[in-house]
Amino acid sequence: MTFVYPYLFWILIVPFILFAILISTNKEKLSRVFDERVLKRLSASDEAIPLVMRNITIFAAIFLMIVALARPVIEKGEKVVDVKGLNLVVGLDISGSMRSTDLYPNRLEFAKKKIFEFFEAMPSDEISVLAFAHSSFILAPFSADKQTLQMMVEGVDDSYMSMGSTDFSELGMLASEVLEKKEPKIVVLFTDGGDEAAIAGFADILEEHHIDLYVVLVGTTKGSPVLTQEGKPYMLEDGTIAITQRNDALLSLARKSGGDGIVAGHGTEDIRELAARIKNRYQEKQQGEVRIKERVELFYYPLGAGLLLLLIALSSIPRRSVQREK
Protein backbone atom coordinates (compact mmCIF):
# COMPACT_ATOMS: atom_id res chain seq x y z
CA MET A 1 0.00 0.00 0.00
CA THR A 2 1.19 3.52 -0.85
CA PHE A 3 -0.13 7.06 -0.45
CA VAL A 4 -0.89 9.36 -3.37
CA TYR A 5 -0.47 12.44 -1.16
CA PRO A 6 1.99 11.37 1.57
CA TYR A 7 2.96 14.99 2.24
CA LEU A 8 -0.55 15.67 3.53
CA PHE A 9 -0.11 12.93 6.12
CA TRP A 10 3.14 14.39 7.46
CA ILE A 11 1.83 17.98 7.37
CA LEU A 12 -1.25 17.10 9.40
CA ILE A 13 0.10 14.40 11.71
CA VAL A 14 2.53 16.69 13.55
CA PRO A 15 -0.05 19.27 14.76
CA PHE A 16 -2.41 16.38 15.51
CA ILE A 17 0.15 14.73 17.84
CA LEU A 18 0.86 18.05 19.57
CA PHE A 19 -2.85 18.68 20.05
CA ALA A 20 -3.37 15.18 21.47
CA ILE A 21 -0.51 15.67 23.94
CA LEU A 22 -1.90 19.03 25.07
CA ILE A 23 -5.36 17.59 25.58
CA SER A 24 -4.04 14.62 27.54
CA THR A 25 -1.30 16.10 29.71
CA ASN A 26 -1.37 19.87 29.97
CA LYS A 27 -4.86 21.04 30.78
CA GLU A 28 -3.72 24.16 32.65
CA LYS A 29 -1.94 25.66 29.65
CA LEU A 30 -4.65 24.41 27.34
CA SER A 31 -7.22 26.48 29.23
CA ARG A 32 -5.36 29.60 28.20
CA VAL A 33 -5.93 28.75 24.53
CA PHE A 34 -9.43 27.30 24.44
CA ASP A 35 -12.68 28.61 25.86
CA GLU A 36 -13.60 27.16 29.25
CA ARG A 37 -16.94 25.91 27.96
CA VAL A 38 -15.19 23.96 25.20
CA LEU A 39 -12.90 22.30 27.72
CA LYS A 40 -15.86 21.35 29.87
CA ARG A 41 -17.37 19.58 26.92
CA LEU A 42 -14.11 17.74 26.25
CA SER A 43 -13.48 16.80 29.87
CA ALA A 44 -16.95 15.95 31.17
CA SER A 45 -16.88 12.81 33.25
CA ASP A 46 -20.53 11.94 33.67
CA GLU A 47 -21.02 10.39 30.22
CA ALA A 48 -21.68 6.75 29.27
CA ILE A 49 -18.16 6.32 27.87
CA PRO A 50 -15.31 7.12 30.28
CA LEU A 51 -13.37 10.29 29.56
CA VAL A 52 -10.16 8.50 28.58
CA MET A 53 -11.97 6.16 26.19
CA ARG A 54 -13.86 9.03 24.59
CA ASN A 55 -10.66 11.00 24.01
CA ILE A 56 -8.99 7.92 22.52
CA THR A 57 -12.00 7.46 20.22
CA ILE A 58 -11.85 11.07 19.02
CA PHE A 59 -8.09 10.89 18.45
CA ALA A 60 -8.46 7.63 16.52
CA ALA A 61 -11.20 9.18 14.36
CA ILE A 62 -9.06 12.20 13.51
CA PHE A 63 -6.05 9.99 12.75
CA LEU A 64 -8.09 7.83 10.36
CA MET A 65 -9.37 10.93 8.56
CA ILE A 66 -5.80 12.14 8.11
CA VAL A 67 -4.92 8.76 6.62
CA ALA A 68 -7.91 9.07 4.27
CA LEU A 69 -6.78 12.54 3.14
CA ALA A 70 -3.38 11.08 2.21
CA ARG A 71 -5.34 8.78 -0.18
CA PRO A 72 -4.04 5.25 0.41
CA VAL A 73 -4.01 3.05 -2.71
CA ILE A 74 -2.75 -0.30 -3.92
CA GLU A 75 -0.68 0.21 -7.07
CA LYS A 76 -1.34 -2.31 -9.84
CA GLY A 77 1.10 -0.93 -12.40
CA GLU A 78 0.62 1.05 -15.59
CA LYS A 79 -1.91 0.45 -18.32
CA VAL A 80 -1.60 1.58 -21.94
CA VAL A 81 -4.84 3.06 -23.29
CA ASP A 82 -5.42 3.81 -26.96
CA VAL A 83 -6.99 7.20 -27.55
CA LYS A 84 -8.65 8.52 -30.68
CA GLY A 85 -9.13 12.09 -31.71
CA LEU A 86 -7.45 15.28 -32.79
CA ASN A 87 -6.53 18.53 -31.06
CA LEU A 88 -8.05 21.53 -32.78
CA VAL A 89 -8.35 25.26 -32.14
CA VAL A 90 -11.68 26.84 -33.07
CA GLY A 91 -11.68 30.61 -33.57
CA LEU A 92 -14.84 32.74 -33.32
CA ASP A 93 -14.84 36.15 -35.00
CA ILE A 94 -16.26 38.83 -32.65
CA SER A 95 -15.49 41.88 -34.78
CA GLY A 96 -18.17 44.51 -35.29
CA SER A 97 -19.04 43.24 -38.77
CA MET A 98 -20.44 40.07 -37.16
CA ARG A 99 -23.45 42.16 -36.01
CA SER A 100 -24.64 42.33 -39.59
CA THR A 101 -28.01 40.74 -40.24
CA ASP A 102 -27.60 39.29 -43.74
CA LEU A 103 -27.83 35.91 -41.95
CA TYR A 104 -30.57 35.37 -39.37
CA PRO A 105 -30.51 36.64 -36.67
CA ASN A 106 -27.00 37.97 -37.29
CA ARG A 107 -23.61 36.65 -38.35
CA LEU A 108 -22.38 36.07 -34.79
CA GLU A 109 -25.34 33.93 -33.74
CA PHE A 110 -25.23 32.07 -37.05
CA ALA A 111 -21.50 31.36 -36.56
CA LYS A 112 -22.15 30.10 -33.03
CA LYS A 113 -24.78 27.73 -34.39
CA LYS A 114 -22.29 26.36 -36.93
CA ILE A 115 -19.70 25.91 -34.17
CA PHE A 116 -22.20 23.83 -32.19
CA GLU A 117 -22.72 21.67 -35.28
CA PHE A 118 -18.94 21.29 -35.57
CA PHE A 119 -18.72 20.16 -31.93
CA GLU A 120 -21.33 17.48 -32.66
CA ALA A 121 -19.36 16.32 -35.69
CA MET A 122 -16.13 15.98 -33.65
CA PRO A 123 -17.35 14.12 -30.51
CA SER A 124 -14.06 12.49 -29.45
CA ASP A 125 -11.72 15.35 -30.31
CA GLU A 126 -10.25 17.90 -27.91
CA ILE A 127 -11.03 21.47 -28.86
CA SER A 128 -9.87 24.83 -27.58
CA VAL A 129 -11.89 27.95 -28.43
CA LEU A 130 -10.46 31.39 -29.15
CA ALA A 131 -12.32 34.64 -29.72
CA PHE A 132 -10.69 37.20 -32.00
CA ALA A 133 -11.17 40.71 -33.29
CA HIS A 134 -8.81 43.65 -32.70
CA SER A 135 -7.39 41.49 -29.89
CA SER A 136 -7.59 37.73 -29.32
CA PHE A 137 -8.07 35.68 -26.18
CA ILE A 138 -8.70 32.09 -25.06
CA LEU A 139 -12.37 31.47 -24.48
CA ALA A 140 -11.99 27.81 -23.45
CA PRO A 141 -8.93 25.54 -22.99
CA PHE A 142 -8.64 22.14 -24.65
CA SER A 143 -11.49 19.88 -23.66
CA ALA A 144 -13.44 16.95 -25.06
CA ASP A 145 -16.49 17.99 -23.03
CA LYS A 146 -18.57 19.50 -25.81
CA GLN A 147 -21.39 20.57 -23.48
CA THR A 148 -18.99 22.75 -21.49
CA LEU A 149 -17.46 24.17 -24.67
CA GLN A 150 -20.93 24.95 -25.99
CA MET A 151 -21.80 26.79 -22.78
CA MET A 152 -18.66 28.92 -23.12
CA VAL A 153 -19.44 29.81 -26.74
CA GLU A 154 -23.11 30.42 -25.94
CA GLY A 155 -22.02 33.07 -23.43
CA VAL A 156 -20.43 35.20 -26.17
CA ASP A 157 -22.85 38.03 -26.90
CA ASP A 158 -22.88 41.54 -28.30
CA SER A 159 -20.90 42.90 -25.33
CA TYR A 160 -17.82 40.97 -26.52
CA MET A 161 -17.79 42.59 -29.94
CA SER A 162 -15.29 45.22 -31.05
CA MET A 163 -15.63 47.82 -33.81
CA GLY A 164 -11.87 47.80 -34.38
CA SER A 165 -10.32 46.04 -37.38
CA THR A 166 -9.44 42.37 -36.97
CA ASP A 167 -5.81 41.71 -36.10
CA PHE A 168 -5.14 38.35 -37.77
CA SER A 169 -1.45 38.47 -36.84
CA GLU A 170 -2.28 38.51 -33.12
CA LEU A 171 -4.71 35.66 -33.71
CA GLY A 172 -1.97 33.69 -35.44
CA MET A 173 0.50 34.20 -32.59
CA LEU A 174 -2.05 33.16 -29.96
CA ALA A 175 -3.02 30.06 -31.96
CA SER A 176 0.64 29.09 -32.33
CA GLU A 177 1.13 29.33 -28.55
CA VAL A 178 -1.96 27.25 -27.81
CA LEU A 179 -0.90 24.60 -30.35
CA GLU A 180 2.80 24.67 -29.46
CA LYS A 181 2.89 21.11 -28.10
CA LYS A 182 0.16 19.70 -30.34
CA GLU A 183 0.58 17.65 -33.49
CA PRO A 184 -0.91 18.15 -36.00
CA LYS A 185 -1.64 21.85 -35.58
CA ILE A 186 -5.16 22.66 -36.79
CA VAL A 187 -7.09 25.94 -36.66
CA VAL A 188 -10.73 26.24 -37.74
CA LEU A 189 -12.00 29.82 -38.03
CA PHE A 190 -15.67 30.83 -38.05
CA THR A 191 -15.60 34.32 -39.56
CA ASP A 192 -16.89 36.62 -42.27
CA GLY A 193 -13.36 36.82 -43.68
CA GLY A 194 -10.66 39.43 -44.09
CA ASP A 195 -9.03 41.28 -46.96
CA GLU A 196 -5.68 40.30 -48.43
CA ALA A 197 -3.80 43.10 -46.65
CA ALA A 198 -5.16 42.04 -43.24
CA ILE A 199 -4.28 38.37 -43.67
CA ALA A 200 -0.83 38.79 -45.24
CA GLY A 201 1.02 38.54 -41.92
CA PHE A 202 -1.35 35.81 -40.79
CA ALA A 203 -0.27 33.61 -43.70
CA ASP A 204 3.39 33.97 -42.73
CA ILE A 205 2.67 32.94 -39.11
CA LEU A 206 0.73 29.87 -40.23
CA GLU A 207 3.57 28.79 -42.49
CA GLU A 208 6.25 29.43 -39.87
CA HIS A 209 4.49 27.34 -37.22
CA HIS A 210 3.19 24.65 -39.61
CA ILE A 211 -0.45 25.34 -38.79
CA ASP A 212 -3.16 24.02 -41.09
CA LEU A 213 -6.00 26.49 -41.60
CA TYR A 214 -9.66 25.63 -42.12
CA VAL A 215 -12.27 28.33 -42.61
CA VAL A 216 -16.05 28.45 -42.20
CA LEU A 217 -17.19 31.69 -43.83
CA VAL A 218 -20.44 33.35 -42.74
CA GLY A 219 -22.19 36.22 -44.48
CA THR A 220 -23.24 37.05 -48.02
CA THR A 221 -21.44 38.69 -50.93
CA LYS A 222 -24.31 41.20 -51.16
CA GLY A 223 -23.50 42.34 -47.64
CA SER A 224 -25.37 44.24 -44.98
CA PRO A 225 -24.92 47.46 -42.98
CA VAL A 226 -22.51 47.37 -40.06
CA LEU A 227 -24.47 47.91 -36.87
CA THR A 228 -23.42 49.61 -33.65
CA GLN A 229 -24.04 48.09 -30.22
CA GLU A 230 -27.26 50.10 -30.11
CA GLY A 231 -28.40 48.40 -33.34
CA LYS A 232 -28.04 51.51 -35.49
CA PRO A 233 -26.16 51.62 -38.83
CA TYR A 234 -22.51 52.61 -38.44
CA MET A 235 -21.77 55.86 -40.24
CA LEU A 236 -18.48 56.56 -41.98
CA GLU A 237 -16.73 59.95 -41.82
CA ASP A 238 -18.24 60.99 -45.15
CA GLY A 239 -21.74 60.36 -43.79
CA THR A 240 -22.43 57.14 -45.68
CA ILE A 241 -23.51 53.88 -44.08
CA ALA A 242 -20.75 51.26 -43.71
CA ILE A 243 -21.56 48.06 -45.59
CA THR A 244 -19.80 44.79 -44.83
CA GLN A 245 -19.59 41.92 -47.31
CA ARG A 246 -18.25 38.44 -46.87
CA ASN A 247 -14.62 38.35 -47.97
CA ASP A 248 -13.43 35.04 -49.45
CA ALA A 249 -9.70 35.86 -49.37
CA LEU A 250 -9.27 33.88 -46.14
CA LEU A 251 -10.85 30.82 -47.74
CA SER A 252 -8.45 31.11 -50.67
CA LEU A 253 -5.53 31.34 -48.24
CA ALA A 254 -6.68 28.19 -46.44
CA ARG A 255 -6.87 26.20 -49.67
CA LYS A 256 -3.54 27.50 -51.00
CA SER A 257 -1.77 26.58 -47.75
CA GLY A 258 -3.06 22.99 -47.77
CA GLY A 259 -6.12 23.49 -45.62
CA ASP A 260 -9.74 23.80 -46.67
CA GLY A 261 -12.98 25.58 -45.92
CA ILE A 262 -16.61 26.18 -46.78
CA VAL A 263 -19.12 28.96 -47.09
CA ALA A 264 -21.60 28.17 -44.34
CA GLY A 265 -25.17 27.52 -45.36
CA HIS A 266 -28.34 26.37 -43.71
CA GLY A 267 -28.49 22.75 -42.63
CA THR A 268 -25.77 20.61 -41.08
CA GLU A 269 -24.42 18.81 -44.15
CA ASP A 270 -21.73 21.40 -44.88
CA ILE A 271 -20.19 21.21 -41.39
CA ARG A 272 -20.36 17.43 -41.36
CA GLU A 273 -18.59 17.34 -44.71
CA LEU A 274 -15.82 19.65 -43.47
CA ALA A 275 -15.38 17.57 -40.30
CA ALA A 276 -15.16 14.41 -42.41
CA ARG A 277 -12.44 15.97 -44.59
CA ILE A 278 -10.42 16.93 -41.52
CA LYS A 279 -10.75 13.44 -40.01
CA ASN A 280 -9.82 11.72 -43.26
CA ARG A 281 -6.75 13.89 -43.77
CA TYR A 282 -5.36 13.22 -40.29
CA GLN A 283 -6.65 9.68 -39.92
CA GLU A 284 -3.20 8.24 -39.17
CA LYS A 285 -2.52 10.93 -36.55
CA GLN A 286 -5.74 10.40 -34.62
CA GLN A 287 -4.33 7.34 -32.88
CA GLY A 288 -2.27 7.70 -29.75
CA GLU A 289 -1.31 5.98 -26.53
CA VAL A 290 -1.66 7.21 -22.98
CA ARG A 291 -0.15 5.48 -19.98
CA ILE A 292 -2.33 5.56 -16.88
CA LYS A 293 -1.71 4.11 -13.44
CA GLU A 294 -4.11 1.44 -12.27
CA ARG A 295 -4.93 1.81 -8.59
CA VAL A 296 -7.27 0.31 -6.06
CA GLU A 297 -8.59 3.15 -3.91
CA LEU A 298 -8.63 2.49 -0.16
CA PHE A 299 -9.37 5.93 1.27
CA TYR A 300 -13.04 5.20 1.93
CA TYR A 301 -12.14 2.53 4.52
CA PRO A 302 -10.32 4.86 6.98
CA LEU A 303 -12.77 7.65 6.13
CA GLY A 304 -15.78 5.49 6.98
CA ALA A 305 -14.17 4.14 10.15
CA GLY A 306 -13.17 7.65 11.23
CA LEU A 307 -16.66 9.04 10.76
CA LEU A 308 -18.13 6.10 12.70
CA LEU A 309 -15.74 6.61 15.63
CA LEU A 310 -16.40 10.35 15.60
CA LEU A 311 -20.13 9.72 15.71
CA ILE A 312 -19.69 7.35 18.68
CA ALA A 313 -17.52 9.87 20.52
CA LEU A 314 -19.86 12.79 19.92
CA SER A 315 -22.91 10.79 20.94
CA SER A 316 -21.29 10.22 24.37
CA ILE A 317 -21.07 13.94 25.15
CA PRO A 318 -23.42 14.49 28.10
CA ARG A 319 -26.49 16.63 27.71
CA ARG A 320 -27.15 19.23 30.34
CA SER A 321 -30.51 18.93 32.00
CA VAL A 322 -32.27 22.11 33.01
CA GLN A 323 -34.46 21.95 36.11
CA ARG A 324 -37.18 24.51 36.46
CA GLU A 325 -37.81 25.98 39.85
CA LYS A 326 -41.24 25.28 41.26
Side-chain angles (χ1 to χ4, degrees), residues 99-110:
R99 288 195 182 100
S100 297
T101 57
D102 51 354
L103 291 173
Y104 181 81
N106 56 46
R107 293 180 184 178
L108 177 65
E109 293 301 321
F110 190 84

Side-chain angles (χ1 to χ4, degrees), residues 144-309:
D145 185 350
K146 301 307 186 298
Q147 289 186 341
T148 300
L149 292 175
Q150 183 167 331
M151 288 176 58
M152 298 298 293
V153 174
E154 186 65 44
V156 177
D157 56 23
D158 190 80
S159 63
Y160 282 75
M161 302 180 76
S162 169
M163 293 302 294
S165 59
T166 303
D167 190 338
F168 282 95
S169 294
E170 182 175 336
L171 168 63
M173 293 306 300
L174 179 59
S176 65
E177 292 176 8
V178 173
L179 290 166
E180 183 178 5
K181 297 182 180 179
K182 304 297 182 181
E183 190 64 35
K185 304 180 189 299
I186 306 170
V187 172
V188 185
L189 299 184
F190 291 75
T191 175
D192 55 6
D195 57 40
E196 292 183 359
I199 65 176
F202 185 49
D204 295 335
I205 294 172
L206 295 176
E207 182 178 2
E208 179 183 354
H209 295 277
H210 308 288
I211 297 173
D212 296 329
L213 176 64
Y214 292 82
V215 177
V216 178
L217 287 179
V218 298
T220 62
T221 54
K222 181 180 179 180
S224 177
V226 178
L227 301 179
T228 64
Q229 190 170 359
E230 293 76 24
K232 298 179 180 180
Y234 183 77
M235 307 298 293
L236 299 175
E237 292 182 358
D238 60 3
T240 59
I241 296 175
I243 302 294
T244 174
Q245 299 170 314
R246 187 190 77 224
N247 193 315
D248 295 351
L250 198 60
L251 178 57
S252 300
L253 171 62
R255 289 172 174 168
K256 287 180 181 178
S257 61
D260 205 345
I262 59 170
V263 175
H266 298 283
T268 61
E269 294 79 9
D270 53 354
I271 292 294
R272 290 180 181 176
E273 175 62 26
L274 179 63
R277 293 179 204 168
I278 294 174
K279 290 180 180 179
N280 290 335
R281 177 177 177 182
Y282 304 102
Q283 188 172 7
E284 295 180 356
K285 298 182 180 181
Q286 292 187 60
Q287 301 290 337
E289 291 183 349
V290 175
R291 293 183 177 271
I292 61 173
K293 292 183 178 181
E294 284 193 291
R295 293 167 172 163
V296 177
E297 297 285 352
L298 302 175
F299 73 91
Y300 40 83
Y301 293 114
L303 180 60
L307 290 173
L308 179 61
L309 290 176

Side-chain angles (χ1 to χ4, degrees), residues 84-97:
K84 296 182 179 180
L86 295 168
N87 296 291
L88 308 94
V89 166
V90 165
L92 174 61
D93 190 344
I94 56 171
S95 60
S97 61

Side-chain angles (χ1 to χ4, degrees), residues 31-48:
S31 63
R32 301 174 187 171
V33 180
F34 295 98
D35 187 86
E36 184 178 353
R37 289 174 295 178
V38 175
L39 291 177
K40 285 183 178 180
R41 300 286 285 182
L42 290 173
S43 61
S45 59
D46 56 343
E47 65 278 358

